[in-house]
Amino acid sequence: MSGLKNYWDSIPSYSNDGIDQNLALDRVFMRINRRHRTARILSAFSVAAVVIVTYLVLPSEPEPQMMQCYAPAGELRTINLPDGSVVTLNSGSTLAYSSSYKKGERGVILSGEASFNVAKNPKQPFVVKTKDFDVRVLGTVFNVCSYGGKNGSSVVLESGSVVIMREGSESSLKPGQKAELNANGDLLISTVSSSDYFAWTRGGFIHKQATIYDIVDFIHNTYNVQVSCSFDEKYRNAMITCKSDSRLDINQYLALLSELIPGMKYHISDSIITLY
């Protein structure tokens, strides 16, 4: 949580209380000067000025707090943000935002995977901050995947438009496009079937050139089980590509996995799965 809060603290804060304190204070003293006739009147208005100045200066907004939402392993979470935007968090993912959300920039911080349906507001851009880049939108539907232990953060756009901001450069996406960081840290844009990347919100999944370690993370997050592995080199180098539009139970998924990786076997005992 502290890392997320420190990240958030680097975002410029905004004030939206609508009060120009200096202007208000000047007006108070102008009124006092116009009515400066006697010492008694001046004294009375001086007291009033102190009261008004105290009212204007002393009250301050509480320090913004970080709001954090987490989807535990094996579960999804739907979050309704204050502006009407809706976020669906995938298993093992965290979304954080400030209690001052909607003031200036609508900013959130994502670790993991989430789909976003952003309420349109041209005056207040919506920004998703990840470990690799920021995604800036006005109102659109898109999916962001950026788990903490993985290198390949990605964005898939279903409708609207997004701008990916990274290291001083910007890249725009059109509907049906995917932006992904490769192993060299380059941002690659390709055309995809965007609905595939939202399958997880319906209980399904998509694996494209997933390593066995990606699969282990997927099993843990999706089924909330521990995974123990013992691999030959051929399993370490295996790349898995498959998808499902509906949820598979753990036995169905492991049976599919053993077909995709010839020779791989599995054993289930309580909440521990051993792949060998």
Side-chain angles (χ1 to χ4, degrees):
M1 176 64 183
S2 61
L4 288 174
K5 188 176 189 306
N6 291 336
Y7 191 8
W8 181 268
D9 288 342
S10 67
I11 304 170
S13 61
Y14 300 87
S15 177
N16 195 33
D17 56 17
I19 297 177
D20 186 332
Q21 294 186 359
N22 291 329
L23 179 59
L25 191 56
D26 288 341
R27 288 176 177 172
V28 169
F29 285 120
M30 286 175 63
R31 291 174 183 173
I32 292 175
N33 290 335
R34 284 199 303 265
R35 298 176 185 180
H36 182 198
R37 299 180 184 279
T38 64
R40 178 178 297 179
I41 295 175
L42 177 60
S43 176
F45 274 93
S46 296
V47 173
V50 170
V51 173
I52 295 174
V53 170
T54 302
Y55 175 79
L56 289 173
V57 174
L58 291 183
S60 60
E61 294 186 2
E63 181 181 351
Q65 301 296 314
M66 290 299 296
M67 314 295 288
Q68 182 174 345
C69 304
Y70 175 67
E75 299 182 29
L76 305 182
R77 286 283 187 270
T78 298
I79 304 163
N80 295 295
L81 294 174
D83 66 330
S85 298
V86 179
V87 182
T88 303
L89 276 184
N90 204 350
S91 301
S93 302
T94 300
L95 186 81
Y97 59 96
S98 172
S99 58
S100 63
Y101 182 85
K102 287 186 68 177
K103 294 187 176 182
E105 180 182 281
R106 298 177 291 167
V108 300
I109 305 167
L110 173 67
S111 175
E113 184 170 23
S115 70
F116 295 84
N117 192 333
V118 176
K120 190 170 184 178
N121 186 344
K123 295 181 179 180
Q124 291 182 306
F126 185 98
V127 177
V128 181
K129 296 180 176 293
T130 75
K131 64 185 180 67
D132 293 314
F133 46 63
D134 295 350
V135 184
R136 184 175 184 271
V137 305
L138 295 178
T140 186
V141 178
F142 60 102
N143 189 82
V144 179
C145 186
S146 182
Y147 281 97
K150 298 182 180 180
N151 294 323
S153 296
S154 64
V155 180
V156 176
L157 180 62
E158 184 173 88
S159 65
S161 63
V162 302
V163 175
I164 299 171
M165 301 177 293
R166 178 174 175 266
E167 297 179 350
S169 64
E170 296 185 356
S171 301
S172 299
L173 288 188
K174 298 178 181 179
Q177 288 187 326
K178 175 184 179 182
E180 182 175 22
L181 287 180
N182 65 12
N184 297 323
D186 299 321
L187 189 67
L188 304 180
I189 298 177
S190 59
T191 300
V192 297
S193 175
S194 59
S195 62
D196 289 346
Y197 293 86
F198 290 82
W200 64 268
T201 65
R202 305 183 295 272
F205 63 86
I206 180 173
H207 298 321
K208 287 197 173 182
Q209 295 294 298
T211 69
I212 192 63
Y213 303 105
D214 294 330
I215 297 300
V216 168
D217 288 341
F218 173 82
I219 293 173
H220 170 68
N221 288 331
T222 303
Y223 299 101
N224 193 22
V225 294
Q226 298 301 314
V227 183
S228 175
C229 307
S230 177
F231 299 129
D232 294 330
E233 276 301 317
K234 61 180 179 179
Y235 297 155
R236 293 181 183 274
N237 297 327
M239 303 296 286
I240 297 95
T241 296
C242 61
K243 69 175 182 177
S244 174
D245 290 328
S246 59
R247 182 178 177 84
L248 304 180
D249 64 33
I250 186 61
N251 288 288
Q252 291 173 319
Y253 181 82
L254 291 173
L256 173 62
L257 188 62
S258 64
E259 291 180 7
L260 295 172
I261 308 178
M264 175 170 283
K265 298 180 181 180
Y266 61 90
H267 175 72
I268 304 176
S269 177
D270 296 327
S271 294
I272 300 177
I273 294 174
T274 303
L275 303 178
Y276 60 96

